[in-house]
Amino acid sequence: MNYSDFGERFRHRSGITLLMEDLAAGLAQDDMIMLGGGNPAAIPEALELFQQTLDKICANGRLLQALANYDGPQGRQRFLELLADYFNARYDWGISWRNIALTHGSQSAFFAIFNSFAGRSRGRRRHVLLPITPEYIGYTDIGIEEGMFVSREPEIEHLDDGFFKYHIDFGQLEITPDTGLVCVSRPTNPSGNVLTDEECRRLDEMARREGVPLLLDNAYGTPFPHIIFNEVTPFWNDNTIVCMSLSKLGLPGVRTGIVIANEEAITQLSNMTAITSLSPGGVGPVLVEELIRDQALSRLSDEIIRPFYQQRCERTLTMLRQAIDDPRLHIHLPEGAIFLWLWFEGLSIPSGELYRELKREGLLVIPGEYFFPGQEVRPDSHATRCIRMNYVRDETEMARGIEILARVVKRYW
Ligand SMILES: Cc1ncc(COP(=O)(O)O)c(C=O)c1O
């Protein structure tokens, strides 16, 4: 077949395709331990709340109404209004429904937004600047033009107890006339890093000075799903594009992303939705609308989701430290999101090979090198000695996975 340049971009299997295929294949294979993907945990109390809410919207006809109608391209009006009130009540952002658009998951929002601000523009080629890596694997192949990303290596701060933390290296960071967008995930997938308020403030200041929007990917952040273990201030102003999602609340199947931005950016994004898919899905909004009305969304996030992940995280750390008692294992300080980022310093094989060995033994993780969009990853670099594992599976599975990991890693140290 003769594909266009645009079509060609989607012919090769990218890191994200591999990840989603592994996820689907692993789910179908009973004995594979799935610490690779980003599927949220099945939290019994959360599932029960969703079931009750579904029963309610089924009984009161709202679900059927959502299924039987198209919403407008910006998304379900009532939900947009409730969300604006929800954010204003907490953070005093002074936004209205005109500042919010829904998309088919935040991933599709990234496709629209990255390609709207970066790429060929009035004789220039603009890039997306990732001020810090590692960054979310899902950004990597999203540009319809080659070479969309410019990214920076992090500063590494060593902490007590074998932890480390990445920081933005502001000394290396430059927003130039060729920068179209600055983007960070906060909390960061894969590292669990949470940019400090000060780092956010400095990024915002730099971006505003150059008239470049700052995208904050808040898929795991505050106020929902609130998978964040330290107190940070959520951030928005009219130069910021905050992307949120219902996925990590435990609802990835509804494919609902939420974008908060200035009215011009929201109108442009809604036009794209109308052109590419008419309107966003209505099931997620009608369900979560009910949670907001019942004051259940904050309770779900603060009292169910966050403590669940925090406990899982602490338990997994204990198991890891017991199984791999070696100072060459460094763990990024888990401040949020649902992953641990492990650095096996001095390992004799790169993490791509480690991934294949682990998969052969029945454990799926993600090799580190996929998380450095915009960089040529050298075979012996820090990136290739890191892996990402989630900690969402139950304790027995986590223990089996960690036992495999410890056994295989020891072979190559
Ligand atoms: C950092 C981050 N942002 C965004 C997403 C995409 O979420 P969704 O498209 O399901 O809203 C993910 C998914 O894992 C993620 O980890």
Side-chain angles (χ1 to χ4, degrees), residues 119-149:
R120 249 175 281 262
S121 160
R122 298 188 201 121
R124 297 195 109 93
R125 288 197 57 180
R126 292 216 158 91
H127 59 254
V128 175
L129 174 66
L130 305 176
I132 185 168
T133 45
E135 252 302 359
Y136 174 44
I137 193 171
Y139 301 151
T140 311
D141 289 304
I142 220 161
I144 54 176
E145 291 175 28
E146 289 289 341
M148 169 154 295
F149 294 100

PDB file of all heavy atoms in Angstrom, residues 119-149:
ATOM      1  N   GLY A 119       5.996  21.466  15.418  1.00  0.00           N
ATOM      2  CA  GLY A 119       5.982  21.066  14.011  1.00  0.00           C
ATOM      3  C   GLY A 119       6.223  22.304  13.158  1.00  0.00           C
ATOM      4  O   GLY A 119       6.608  23.361  13.664  1.00  0.00           O
ATOM      5  N   ARG A 120       6.008  22.148  11.849  1.00  0.00           N
ATOM      6  CA  ARG A 120       6.277  23.259  10.940  1.00  0.00           C
ATOM      7  C   ARG A 120       5.325  24.427  11.196  1.00  0.00           C
ATOM      8  O   ARG A 120       4.117  24.232  11.327  1.00  0.00           O
ATOM      9  CB  ARG A 120       6.104  22.802   9.493  1.00  0.00           C
ATOM     10  CG  ARG A 120       7.412  22.750   8.735  1.00  0.00           C
ATOM     11  CD  ARG A 120       7.181  22.186   7.365  1.00  0.00           C
ATOM     12  NE  ARG A 120       7.088  20.737   7.461  1.00  0.00           N
ATOM     13  CZ  ARG A 120       8.096  19.926   7.204  1.00  0.00           C
ATOM     14  NH1 ARG A 120       9.257  20.416   6.816  1.00  0.00           N
ATOM     15  NH2 ARG A 120       7.954  18.635   7.314  1.00  0.00           N
ATOM     16  N   SER A 121       5.890  25.602  11.302  1.00  0.00           N
ATOM     17  CA  SER A 121       5.063  26.778  11.576  1.00  0.00           C
ATOM     18  C   SER A 121       5.753  28.018  11.025  1.00  0.00           C
ATOM     19  O   SER A 121       6.843  28.366  11.481  1.00  0.00           O
ATOM     20  CB  SER A 121       4.872  26.894  13.089  1.00  0.00           C
ATOM     21  OG  SER A 121       4.504  28.184  13.453  1.00  0.00           O
ATOM     22  N   ARG A 122       5.159  28.648  10.033  1.00  0.00           N
ATOM     23  CA  ARG A 122       5.674  29.894   9.433  1.00  0.00           C
ATOM     24  C   ARG A 122       7.174  29.829   9.174  1.00  0.00           C
ATOM     25  O   ARG A 122       7.950  30.651   9.649  1.00  0.00           O
ATOM     26  CB  ARG A 122       5.370  31.082  10.338  1.00  0.00           C
ATOM     27  CG  ARG A 122       3.882  31.286  10.509  1.00  0.00           C
ATOM     28  CD  ARG A 122       3.567  32.565  11.246  1.00  0.00           C
ATOM     29  NE  ARG A 122       2.217  32.446  11.795  1.00  0.00           N
ATOM     30  CZ  ARG A 122       1.927  32.527  13.079  1.00  0.00           C
ATOM     31  NH1 ARG A 122       2.840  32.746  13.965  1.00  0.00           N
ATOM     32  NH2 ARG A 122       0.688  32.397  13.479  1.00  0.00           N
ATOM     33  N   GLY A 123       7.559  28.769   8.478  1.00  0.00           N
ATOM     34  CA  GLY A 123       8.965  28.655   8.064  1.00  0.00           C
ATOM     35  C   GLY A 123       9.886  28.114   9.148  1.00  0.00           C
ATOM     36  O   GLY A 123      11.082  27.938   8.936  1.00  0.00           O
ATOM     37  N   ARG A 124       9.391  27.855  10.329  1.00  0.00           N
ATOM     38  CA  ARG A 124      10.218  27.309  11.418  1.00  0.00           C
ATOM     39  C   ARG A 124       9.772  25.890  11.695  1.00  0.00           C
ATOM     40  O   ARG A 124       8.664  25.508  11.339  1.00  0.00           O
ATOM     41  CB  ARG A 124       9.969  28.062  12.740  1.00  0.00           C
ATOM     42  CG  ARG A 124      10.309  29.481  12.770  1.00  0.00           C
ATOM     43  CD  ARG A 124      10.345  29.907  14.245  1.00  0.00           C
ATOM     44  NE  ARG A 124      11.700  30.154  14.678  1.00  0.00           N
ATOM     45  CZ  ARG A 124      12.252  31.372  14.637  1.00  0.00           C
ATOM     46  NH1 ARG A 124      11.568  32.407  14.250  1.00  0.00           N
ATOM     47  NH2 ARG A 124      13.505  31.542  15.020  1.00  0.00           N
ATOM     48  N   ARG A 125      10.638  25.152  12.376  1.00  0.00           N
ATOM     49  CA  ARG A 125      10.200  23.858  12.918  1.00  0.00           C
ATOM     50  C   ARG A 125      10.231  23.961  14.418  1.00  0.00           C
ATOM     51  O   ARG A 125      11.293  24.080  15.015  1.00  0.00           O
ATOM     52  CB  ARG A 125      11.129  22.735  12.427  1.00  0.00           C
ATOM     53  CG  ARG A 125      10.906  22.451  10.970  1.00  0.00           C
ATOM     54  CD  ARG A 125      11.489  21.134  10.592  1.00  0.00           C
ATOM     55  NE  ARG A 125      10.939  20.052  11.408  1.00  0.00           N
ATOM     56  CZ  ARG A 125      11.301  18.797  11.269  1.00  0.00           C
ATOM     57  NH1 ARG A 125      12.200  18.461  10.377  1.00  0.00           N
ATOM     58  NH2 ARG A 125      10.758  17.866  12.021  1.00  0.00           N
ATOM     59  N   ARG A 126       9.059  23.952  14.996  1.00  0.00           N
ATOM     60  CA  ARG A 126       8.980  24.124  16.449  1.00  0.00           C
ATOM     61  C   ARG A 126       8.989  22.761  17.135  1.00  0.00           C
ATOM     62  O   ARG A 126       8.466  21.793  16.616  1.00  0.00           O
ATOM     63  CB  ARG A 126       7.689  24.870  16.822  1.00  0.00           C
ATOM     64  CG  ARG A 126       7.684  26.299  16.356  1.00  0.00           C
ATOM     65  CD  ARG A 126       6.980  27.187  17.390  1.00  0.00           C
ATOM     66  NE  ARG A 126       7.397  28.560  17.238  1.00  0.00           N
ATOM     67  CZ  ARG A 126       6.770  29.434  16.457  1.00  0.00           C
ATOM     68  NH1 ARG A 126       5.708  29.066  15.783  1.00  0.00           N
ATOM     69  NH2 ARG A 126       7.212  30.669  16.360  1.00  0.00           N
ATOM     70  N   HIS A 127       9.583  22.730  18.326  1.00  0.00           N
ATOM     71  CA  HIS A 127       9.661  21.465  19.067  1.00  0.00           C
ATOM     72  C   HIS A 127       8.891  21.543  20.386  1.00  0.00           C
ATOM     73  O   HIS A 127       8.561  22.626  20.870  1.00  0.00           O
ATOM     74  CB  HIS A 127      11.129  21.097  19.343  1.00  0.00           C
ATOM     75  CG  HIS A 127      11.856  22.145  20.133  1.00  0.00           C
ATOM     76  ND1 HIS A 127      12.787  22.990  19.572  1.00  0.00           N
ATOM     77  CD2 HIS A 127      11.774  22.510  21.447  1.00  0.00           C
ATOM     78  CE1 HIS A 127      13.244  23.813  20.507  1.00  0.00           C
ATOM     79  NE2 HIS A 127      12.652  23.539  21.650  1.00  0.00           N
ATOM     80  N   VAL A 128       8.649  20.358  20.941  1.00  0.00           N
ATOM     81  CA  VAL A 128       8.134  20.259  22.306  1.00  0.00           C
ATOM     82  C   VAL A 128       9.358  20.099  23.205  1.00  0.00           C
ATOM     83  O   VAL A 128      10.184  19.206  22.977  1.00  0.00           O
ATOM     84  CB  VAL A 128       7.212  19.031  22.476  1.00  0.00           C
ATOM     85  CG1 VAL A 128       6.779  18.870  23.936  1.00  0.00           C
ATOM     86  CG2 VAL A 128       5.991  19.134  21.573  1.00  0.00           C
ATOM     87  N   LEU A 129       9.475  20.941  24.190  1.00  0.00           N
ATOM     88  CA  LEU A 129      10.601  20.841  25.111  1.00  0.00           C
ATOM     89  C   LEU A 129      10.180  20.055  26.344  1.00  0.00           C
ATOM     90  O   LEU A 129       9.211  20.428  27.027  1.00  0.00           O
ATOM     91  CB  LEU A 129      11.064  22.247  25.527  1.00  0.00           C
ATOM     92  CG  LEU A 129      12.142  22.303  26.607  1.00  0.00           C
ATOM     93  CD1 LEU A 129      13.467  21.707  26.117  1.00  0.00           C
ATOM     94  CD2 LEU A 129      12.376  23.742  27.084  1.00  0.00           C
ATOM     95  N   LEU A 130      10.886  18.945  26.597  1.00  0.00           N
ATOM     96  CA  LEU A 130      10.678  18.186  27.837  1.00  0.00           C
ATOM     97  C   LEU A 130      11.821  18.596  28.766  1.00  0.00           C
ATOM     98  O   LEU A 130      12.970  18.195  28.553  1.00  0.00           O
ATOM     99  CB  LEU A 130      10.719  16.679  27.561  1.00  0.00           C
ATOM    100  CG  LEU A 130       9.749  16.159  26.495  1.00  0.00           C
ATOM    101  CD1 LEU A 130       9.957  14.668  26.241  1.00  0.00           C
ATOM    102  CD2 LEU A 130       8.298  16.429  26.882  1.00  0.00           C
ATOM    103  N   PRO A 131      11.551  19.403  29.776  1.00  0.00           N
ATOM    104  CA  PRO A 131      12.633  19.965  30.590  1.00  0.00           C
ATOM    105  C   PRO A 131      13.374  18.916  31.407  1.00  0.00           C
ATOM    106  O   PRO A 131      14.454  19.174  31.915  1.00  0.00           O
ATOM    107  CB  PRO A 131      11.928  20.936  31.528  1.00  0.00           C
ATOM    108  CG  PRO A 131      10.511  20.968  31.130  1.00  0.00           C
ATOM    109  CD  PRO A 131      10.231  19.865  30.182  1.00  0.00           C
ATOM    110  N   ILE A 132      12.776  17.740  31.534  1.00  0.00           N
ATOM    111  CA  ILE A 132      13.411  16.704  32.342  1.00  0.00           C
ATOM    112  C   ILE A 132      13.013  15.342  31.761  1.00  0.00           C
ATOM    113  O   ILE A 132      11.893  15.154  31.301  1.00  0.00           O
ATOM    114  CB  ILE A 132      12.996  16.848  33.834  1.00  0.00           C
ATOM    115  CG1 ILE A 132      13.727  15.856  34.732  1.00  0.00           C
ATOM    116  CG2 ILE A 132      11.502  16.745  34.026  1.00  0.00           C
ATOM    117  CD1 ILE A 132      13.581  16.158  36.236  1.00  0.00           C
ATOM    118  N   THR A 133      13.979  14.444  31.747  1.00  0.00           N
ATOM    119  CA  THR A 133      13.708  13.043  31.394  1.00  0.00           C
ATOM    120  C   THR A 133      14.250  12.202  32.544  1.00  0.00           C
ATOM    121  O   THR A 133      15.132  12.665  33.266  1.00  0.00           O
ATOM    122  CB  THR A 133      14.412  12.636  30.078  1.00  0.00           C
ATOM    123  OG1 THR A 133      15.752  13.123  30.125  1.00  0.00           O
ATOM    124  CG2 THR A 133      13.679  13.185  28.873  1.00  0.00           C
ATOM    125  N   PRO A 134      13.772  10.974  32.760  1.00  0.00           N
ATOM    126  CA  PRO A 134      12.823  10.238  31.949  1.00  0.00           C
ATOM    127  C   PRO A 134      11.432  10.852  31.969  1.00  0.00           C
ATOM    128  O   PRO A 134      11.033  11.473  32.936  1.00  0.00           O
ATOM    129  CB  PRO A 134      12.816   8.853  32.604  1.00  0.00           C
ATOM    130  CG  PRO A 134      13.217   9.086  34.017  1.00  0.00           C
ATOM    131  CD  PRO A 134      14.206  10.202  33.958  1.00  0.00           C
ATOM    132  N   GLU A 135      10.699  10.648  30.869  1.00  0.00           N
ATOM    133  CA  GLU A 135       9.333  11.141  30.740  1.00  0.00           C
ATOM    134  C   GLU A 135       8.440  10.052  30.168  1.00  0.00           C
ATOM    135  O   GLU A 135       8.917   9.014  29.703  1.00  0.00           O
ATOM    136  CB  GLU A 135       9.303  12.370  29.816  1.00  0.00           C
ATOM    137  CG  GLU A 135       9.052  13.696  30.518  1.00  0.00           C
ATOM    138  CD  GLU A 135       7.759  13.790  31.321  1.00  0.00           C
ATOM    139  OE1 GLU A 135       6.963  12.838  31.362  1.00  0.00           O
ATOM    140  OE2 GLU A 135       7.546  14.855  31.927  1.00  0.00           O
ATOM    141  N   TYR A 136       7.174  10.334  30.185  1.00  0.00           N
ATOM    142  CA  TYR A 136       6.122   9.385  29.799  1.00  0.00           C
ATOM    143  C   TYR A 136       6.350   8.810  28.388  1.00  0.00           C
ATOM    144  O   TYR A 136       6.490   9.537  27.417  1.00  0.00           O
ATOM    145  CB  TYR A 136       4.781  10.122  29.902  1.00  0.00           C
ATOM    146  CG  TYR A 136       3.582   9.370  29.406  1.00  0.00           C
ATOM    147  CD1 TYR A 136       3.390   8.030  29.725  1.00  0.00           C
ATOM    148  CD2 TYR A 136       2.620  10.017  28.633  1.00  0.00           C
ATOM    149  CE1 TYR A 136       2.266   7.354  29.268  1.00  0.00           C
ATOM    150  CE2 TYR A 136       1.499   9.350  28.187  1.00  0.00           C
ATOM    151  CZ  TYR A 136       1.328   8.020  28.499  1.00  0.00           C
ATOM    152  OH  TYR A 136       0.228   7.356  28.052  1.00  0.00           O
ATOM    153  N   ILE A 137       6.360   7.491  28.321  1.00  0.00           N
ATOM    154  CA  ILE A 137       6.610   6.758  27.072  1.00  0.00           C
ATOM    155  C   ILE A 137       5.581   7.134  25.989  1.00  0.00           C
ATOM    156  O   ILE A 137       5.880   7.131  24.794  1.00  0.00           O
ATOM    157  CB  ILE A 137       6.569   5.235  27.367  1.00  0.00           C
ATOM    158  CG1 ILE A 137       7.124   4.392  26.241  1.00  0.00           C
ATOM    159  CG2 ILE A 137       5.177   4.766  27.712  1.00  0.00           C
ATOM    160  CD1 ILE A 137       7.289   2.910  26.642  1.00  0.00           C
ATOM    161  N   GLY A 138       4.381   7.490  26.432  1.00  0.00           N
ATOM    162  CA  GLY A 138       3.299   7.787  25.491  1.00  0.00           C
ATOM    163  C   GLY A 138       3.509   9.063  24.685  1.00  0.00           C
ATOM    164  O   GLY A 138       2.808   9.302  23.712  1.00  0.00           O
ATOM    165  N   TYR A 139       4.469   9.907  25.063  1.00  0.00           N
ATOM    166  CA  TYR A 139       4.731  11.111  24.266  1.00  0.00           C
ATOM    167  C   TYR A 139       5.563  10.784  23.015  1.00  0.00           C
ATOM    168  O   TYR A 139       5.475  11.486  22.014  1.00  0.00           O
ATOM    169  CB  TYR A 139       5.536  12.152  25.069  1.00  0.00           C
ATOM    170  CG  TYR A 139       4.924  12.659  26.357  1.00  0.00           C
ATOM    171  CD1 TYR A 139       5.730  13.089  27.408  1.00  0.00           C
ATOM    172  CD2 TYR A 139       3.546  12.723  26.516  1.00  0.00           C
ATOM    173  CE1 TYR A 139       5.187  13.577  28.591  1.00  0.00           C
ATOM    174  CE2 TYR A 139       2.989  13.203  27.700  1.00  0.00           C
ATOM    175  CZ  TYR A 139       3.819  13.625  28.738  1.00  0.00           C
ATOM    176  OH  TYR A 139       3.280  14.099  29.908  1.00  0.00           O
ATOM    177  N   THR A 140       6.352   9.725  23.119  1.00  0.00           N
ATOM    178  CA  THR A 140       7.461   9.512  22.192  1.00  0.00           C
ATOM    179  C   THR A 140       7.111   9.634  20.708  1.00  0.00           C
ATOM    180  O   THR A 140       7.785  10.327  19.974  1.00  0.00           O
ATOM    181  CB  THR A 140       8.095   8.123  22.448  1.00  0.00           C
ATOM    182  OG1 THR A 140       8.324   8.031  23.832  1.00  0.00           O
ATOM    183  CG2 THR A 140       9.379   7.940  21.682  1.00  0.00           C
ATOM    184  N   ASP A 141       6.082   8.940  20.276  1.00  0.00           N
ATOM    185  CA  ASP A 141       5.828   8.876  18.831  1.00  0.00           C
ATOM    186  C   ASP A 141       4.610   9.683  18.416  1.00  0.00           C
ATOM    187  O   ASP A 141       4.022   9.433  17.374  1.00  0.00           O
ATOM    188  CB  ASP A 141       5.654   7.408  18.425  1.00  0.00           C
ATOM    189  CG  ASP A 141       6.975   6.679  18.490  1.00  0.00           C
ATOM    190  OD1 ASP A 141       7.919   7.134  17.822  1.00  0.00           O
ATOM    191  OD2 ASP A 141       7.081   5.690  19.235  1.00  0.00           O
ATOM    192  N   ILE A 142       4.261  10.644  19.212  1.00  0.00           N
ATOM    193  CA  ILE A 142       2.993  11.324  19.004  1.00  0.00           C
ATOM    194  C   ILE A 142       3.069  12.440  17.954  1.00  0.00           C
ATOM    195  O   ILE A 142       2.054  12.898  17.443  1.00  0.00           O
ATOM    196  CB  ILE A 142       2.484  11.835  20.376  1.00  0.00           C
ATOM    197  CG1 ILE A 142       0.989  11.623  20.478  1.00  0.00           C
ATOM    198  CG2 ILE A 142       2.880  13.237  20.625  1.00  0.00           C
ATOM    199  CD1 ILE A 142       0.481  11.658  21.883  1.00  0.00           C
ATOM    200  N   GLY A 143       4.290  12.817  17.605  1.00  0.00           N
ATOM    201  CA  GLY A 143       4.439  13.891  16.621  1.00  0.00           C
ATOM    202  C   GLY A 143       4.174  13.389  15.211  1.00  0.00           C
ATOM    203  O   GLY A 143       4.646  12.327  14.842  1.00  0.00           O
ATOM    204  N   ILE A 144       3.412  14.149  14.424  1.00  0.00           N
ATOM    205  CA  ILE A 144       3.217  13.720  13.040  1.00  0.00           C
ATOM    206  C   ILE A 144       4.431  14.090  12.189  1.00  0.00           C
ATOM    207  O   ILE A 144       4.550  13.659  11.064  1.00  0.00           O
ATOM    208  CB  ILE A 144       1.907  14.248  12.417  1.00  0.00           C
ATOM    209  CG1 ILE A 144       1.823  15.759  12.539  1.00  0.00           C
ATOM    210  CG2 ILE A 144       0.697  13.594  13.040  1.00  0.00           C
ATOM    211  CD1 ILE A 144       0.603  16.336  11.854  1.00  0.00           C
ATOM    212  N   GLU A 145       5.330  14.888  12.735  1.00  0.00           N
ATOM    213  CA  GLU A 145       6.599  15.123  12.055  1.00  0.00           C
ATOM    214  C   GLU A 145       7.707  14.509  12.895  1.00  0.00           C
ATOM    215  O   GLU A 145       7.573  14.373  14.101  1.00  0.00           O
ATOM    216  CB  GLU A 145       6.842  16.620  11.907  1.00  0.00           C
ATOM    217  CG  GLU A 145       5.886  17.258  10.917  1.00  0.00           C
ATOM    218  CD  GLU A 145       6.043  18.770  10.861  1.00  0.00           C
ATOM    219  OE1 GLU A 145       7.154  19.269  11.132  1.00  0.00           O
ATOM    220  OE2 GLU A 145       5.041  19.437  10.576  1.00  0.00           O
ATOM    221  N   GLU A 146       8.803  14.164  12.206  1.00  0.00           N
ATOM    222  CA  GLU A 146       9.968  13.602  12.909  1.00  0.00           C
ATOM    223  C   GLU A 146      10.568  14.647  13.848  1.00  0.00           C
ATOM    224  O   GLU A 146      10.420  15.851  13.609  1.00  0.00           O
ATOM    225  CB  GLU A 146      11.064  13.236  11.890  1.00  0.00           C
ATOM    226  CG  GLU A 146      10.769  12.039  11.025  1.00  0.00           C
ATOM    227  CD  GLU A 146      10.823  10.732  11.792  1.00  0.00           C
ATOM    228  OE1 GLU A 146      11.416  10.699  12.876  1.00  0.00           O
ATOM    229  OE2 GLU A 146      10.240   9.757  11.285  1.00  0.00           O
ATOM    230  N   GLY A 147      11.283  14.164  14.823  1.00  0.00           N
ATOM    231  CA  GLY A 147      12.114  15.052  15.640  1.00  0.00           C
ATOM    232  C   GLY A 147      11.321  16.089  16.403  1.00  0.00           C
ATOM    233  O   GLY A 147      11.700  17.253  16.455  1.00  0.00           O
ATOM    234  N   MET A 148      10.215  15.684  16.977  1.00  0.00           N
ATOM    235  CA  MET A 148       9.364  16.669  17.634  1.00  0.00           C
ATOM    236  C   MET A 148       9.917  17.125  18.989  1.00  0.00           C
ATOM    237  O   MET A 148       9.616  18.224  19.433  1.00  0.00           O
ATOM    238  CB  MET A 148       7.975  16.070  17.817  1.00  0.00           C
ATOM    239  CG  MET A 148       7.123  16.894  18.713  1.00  0.00           C
ATOM    240  SD  MET A 148       5.373  16.774  18.492  1.00  0.00           S
ATOM    241  CE  MET A 148       5.008  17.414  16.935  1.00  0.00           C
ATOM    242  N   PHE A 149      10.748  16.254  19.621  1.00  0.00           N
ATOM    243  CA  PHE A 149      11.131  16.561  21.002  1.00  0.00           C
ATOM    244  C   PHE A 149      12.571  17.040  21.153  1.00  0.00           C
ATOM    245  O   PHE A 149      13.475  16.526  20.502  1.00  0.00           O
ATOM    246  CB  PHE A 149      10.962  15.319  21.886  1.00  0.00           C
ATOM    247  CG  PHE A 149       9.532  14.918  22.012  1.00  0.00           C
ATOM    248  CD1 PHE A 149       9.011  13.885  21.259  1.00  0.00           C
ATOM    249  CD2 PHE A 149       8.685  15.614  22.863  1.00  0.00           C
ATOM    250  CE1 PHE A 149       7.683  13.533  21.358  1.00  0.00           C
ATOM    251  CE2 PHE A 149       7.344  15.273  22.969  1.00  0.00           C
ATOM    252  CZ  PHE A 149       6.844  14.232  22.213  1.00  0.00           C
TER     253      PHE A 149
END
